[in-house]
Amino acid sequence: MPHRLLKLVALAGMAALSAAATKPAPKAAVNWNAAVAVTPAGSHVLGNPGAGVKLAEYVSYTCPHCAHFEIEASGPLKLAYVRSGKVSVEVRHLVRDPVDLTVAMLSNCGPKDRFFVNHGMFMRAQGTWMKPLLTASAAQRSRWTTGDLAARNRAIAADLKLYDMMATRGYDRPAVDRCLADGAMAQRLAQQTQDAQNAGVSGTPSFAINGALLAGTHEWTTLRPQLDAAL
């Protein structure tokens, strides 16, 4: 091969290598099911903050229908809607009673990235940790409603074995007690409850899509078609 031709081939090869080296690597897919944000009101949002469809879920931890929704819908929501980045899910609290408040404070305990796993744990095990409510003595119930915030919450957490549940998530008792005594958190939950009531929420679970409360929608079978229509 003539010297000039060899030189041209070498230059072409170098140019190809240079182009390959400067070509940007493909972007890794974002795992939106691991993306958690906190709103100014203190509620937690799962998914793409720029999602075109924003689903808000109003929940109470002592609401059996909320537990049923979590078991039935959390998987399909994450796999078919949140993962794509098209839908985000925000959990807003509507606190109904002292037990509900205690569990809500435990779900919100710790870094924001722990919220949805804590939330799912309490919802899915609701049938277990709520059983002692059926046999609680008058003295126990009195401790749940008298004394300061920390004392009430600690009594509920002990009687319903919520400390044991939090231990499975890596929380020791001092960490749990700090959350149970967090007056600012309790105030945020109370404000979320008031905001939900002001928005017209009268029962849980209830849902809003892009700020519009959905009438007559309290379960996955009626929510899913409305999500699909919003996409």
Side-chain angles (χ1 to χ4, degrees), residues 196-219:
Q197 293 169 343
N198 292 344
V201 179
S202 58
T204 54
S206 288
F207 306 93
I209 292 178
N210 293 340
L213 189 64
L214 306 181
T217 303
H218 307 288
E219 56 189 19

Side-chain angles (χ1 to χ4, degrees), residues 22-36:
T22 57
K23 185 178 180 180
K27 291 184 178 180
V30 177
N31 179 12
W32 291 118
N33 280 314
V36 180

Side-chain angles (χ1 to χ4, degrees), residues 136-195:
S137 67
Q140 285 178 306
R141 291 183 180 275
S142 177
R143 291 196 299 270
W144 299 351
T145 56
T146 57
D148 62 22
L149 173 71
R152 298 194 307 267
N153 286 343
R154 288 196 302 267
I156 292 170
D159 290 343
L160 303 188
K161 302 189 184 310
L162 304 181
Y163 284 107
D164 295 343
M165 294 181 68
M166 292 298 283
T168 68
R169 296 280 297 120
Y171 294 83
D172 60 21
R173 189 165 185 132
V176 173
D177 284 344
R178 284 193 295 272
C179 288
L180 293 177
D182 190 338
M185 183 195 296
Q187 289 179 357
R188 288 194 298 273
L189 292 168
Q191 187 60 55
Q192 285 187 43
T193 299
Q194 186 61 58
D195 291 344

